[in-house]
Amino acid sequence: MSHGADIMAGKVEENMAAWLLGIKNLKIQPYNIPPVGPHDVKVGIKALGICGSDVHHFKTMRCANFIVKKPMVIGHECAGIVEEIGSEVKTLAVGDRVALEPGISCRRCNVCKNGRYNLCPQMKFFGSPPTNGALANKVVHPANLCFKLPQNVSLEEGAMCEPLSVGVHACCRAKIGPDTSVLIMGAGPIGLVTMLAARAFGAPRIMIVDVDDRRLSIAKNLGADGILQVSTNIEDVSEEITKIQNIMGSGIDVTFDCVGYEKTMCTSLNATSSGGKVCLIGLALTEMTVPLTPAAAREVDVIGIFRYRNTWPLCIEFLRTGKIDVKPLITHRFSFSQEEVEEAFETSARGGDAIKVMFKL
């Protein structure tokens, strides 16, 4: 609907969004969204979390190979309330509370047709250049990527389905079950949601390793069976592996590397039992030198994940039944004002005791 049509309808409604204009330069400015198509819904965003990739964009205008070349609306971990539905939408109604899956795939290429749509080369993903994100009053999104929340799941928990989906997808890829003992490298937000997901999938024993004792104490409070503070020094790997194996007491079937440095991958490959799996989730480095040959000789499988696919219904079910509680991960809350948007991103960038920084819009 055009501005003129809005005025004639008696409602002038300016949509505002947080635009990334340059390094550490965020401004709340008007954001024109497209009209609602037949298969789309308009959602008033009510909760949005800051992700590590958002922080990379904020600090460096890039994340891995994705470079911000023009002003971009930031943010992708979101939930809100349906305000308008397209003419063909049958599954949602105005007023429904929904969690949004932020990536729109082409649905036509071979990877999409084979069901692995998260690998679509034409993926349009909220807040990943050049696609605008969701830290805005309103967005228009395909209805089939908006998932209705049960009454006992809050909008903040709905927004947490996005990071939780990474852990759930990793557990699906690594086939976590009641006979799988798990080691997790990194106790940041993704390490912690992977731990919660692994427990929900039935993993009987989970250990988590990090350089930061505050993060480890959070992991312990969330139910880690074992924790170990390690150094950043690669010379310490063999000594730390001995400590890990002593704490675990039995073999390690799956290791999730939620960091992606040479040291964390070296530890993962060497600590995992023969015949086990290493799942690389964190992508800190584009290239690394790691001891693959001895791991291959022990038939340790290395698998990768990229984002997620078909995870929202399961995440919502885990939240609904209480199998997973993400509420303790939300450590800071900010409103949607210029001053608080800047403060929220600085808080998230500092790390420390900030796990998940959440906007309430």
Side-chain angles (χ1 to χ4, degrees):
M1 191 182 281
S2 71
H3 254 341
D6 270 350
I7 291 164
M8 284 169 66
K11 51 168 193 172
V12 178
E13 187 179 41
E14 190 158 46
N15 187 38
M16 305 298 281
W19 290 84
L20 182 63
L21 304 178
I23 288 177
K24 294 197 171 183
N25 182 6
L26 282 166
K27 287 279 184 296
I28 293 183
Q29 294 180 342
Y31 176 35
N32 294 322
I33 52 176
V36 175
H39 300 281
D40 298 334
V41 291
K42 185 196 284 183
V43 179
I45 299 295
K46 300 298 176 192
L48 184 140
I50 298 178
C51 170
S53 62
D54 297 325
V55 172
H56 278 293
H57 287 133
F58 173 67
K59 284 164 58 172
T60 66
M61 294 293 280
R62 69 180 296 156
C63 183
N65 297 324
F66 296 95
I67 301 163
V68 183
K69 294 177 179 170
K70 61 183 176 59
M72 179 186 80
V73 177
I74 203 162
H76 61 268
E77 302 179 357
C78 57
I81 297 172
V82 175
E83 295 188 356
E84 186 184 335
I85 65 169
S87 58
E88 299 295 316
V89 174
K90 305 286 186 273
T91 53
L92 294 171
V94 171
D96 282 349
R97 299 154 61 257
V98 291
L100 283 68
E101 181 173 348
I104 305 171
S105 58
C106 78
R107 302 168 79 176
R108 291 183 297 275
C109 69
N110 282 339
V111 287
C112 282
K113 288 196 288 193
N114 289 331
R116 303 183 76 165
Y117 67 86
N118 57 313
L119 307 178
C120 175
Q122 265 93 58
M123 178 70 81
K124 294 184 174 72
F125 192 90
F126 274 156
S128 182
T131 308
N132 283 322
L135 184 45
N137 300 126
K138 299 168 197 308
V139 299
V140 171
H141 205 53
N144 69 333
L145 295 174
C146 298
F147 297 85
K148 193 172 174 178
L149 295 172
Q151 280 311 114
N152 68 332
V153 176
S154 70
L155 286 159
E156 285 191 340
E157 291 171 281
M160 289 294 291
C161 284
E162 199 280 340
L164 181 58
S165 282
V166 176
V168 165
H169 181 49
C171 287
C172 289
R173 286 270 288 150
K175 296 184 168 54
I176 301 299
D179 56 353
T180 325
S181 61
V182 170
L183 171 66
I184 296 173
M185 308 298 296
I190 294 299
L192 295 173
V193 292
T194 302
M195 181 184 81
L196 295 176
R199 186 69 85 208
F201 275 79
R205 188 152 177 76
I206 304 171
M207 180 177 178
I208 196 160
V209 168
D210 200 279
V211 295
D212 188 322
D213 59 341
R214 287 172 298 187
R215 294 276 167 108
L216 288 170
S217 66
I218 291 165
K220 188 73 178 160
N221 290 338
L222 287 171
D225 298 298
I227 56 172
L228 179 67
Q229 187 172 7
V230 293
S231 76
T232 53
N233 187 353
I234 201 153
E235 308 297 324
D236 297 336
V237 165
S238 57
E239 184 186 327
E240 287 168 1
I241 288 170
T242 303
K243 288 179 182 171
I244 288 166
Q245 289 170 336
N246 287 340
I247 292 169
M248 284 297 273
S250 60
I252 295 161
D253 300 305
V254 174
T255 301
F256 292 106
D257 183 352
C258 299
V259 186
Y261 284 130
E262 286 190 5
K263 187 187 175 198
T264 56
M265 267 307 270
C266 283
T267 304
S268 301
L269 290 165
N270 286 309
T272 303
S273 299
S274 298
K277 293 187 188 81
V278 173
C279 180
L280 179 58
I281 301 175
L283 305 174
L285 302 177
T286 50
E287 290 184 7
M288 53 176 110
T289 305
V290 293
L292 263 186
T293 311
R298 296 191 300 111
E299 294 194 359
V300 173
D301 295 341
V302 179
I303 54 176
I305 72 150
F306 185 61
R307 295 178 181 149
Y308 34 67
R309 57 178 175 268
N310 302 316
T311 48
W312 259 252
L314 184 53
C315 288
I316 290 169
E317 187 62 9
F318 279 148
L319 296 172
R320 184 188 72 80
T321 56
K323 267 193 152 185
I324 291 180
D325 181 8
V326 290
K327 294 189 289 293
L329 298 179
I330 304 167
T331 53
H332 294 71
R333 290 175 175 84
F334 292 90
S335 67
F336 187 53
S337 68
Q338 180 63 42
E339 185 183 349
E340 295 215 20
V341 165
E342 290 173 12
E343 191 184 341
F345 272 85
E346 291 291 355
T347 301
S348 194
R350 275 197 302 275
D353 62 346
I355 302 292
K356 183 55 63 179
V357 176
M358 184 73 68
F359 288 104
K360 292 174 78 77
L361 283 87

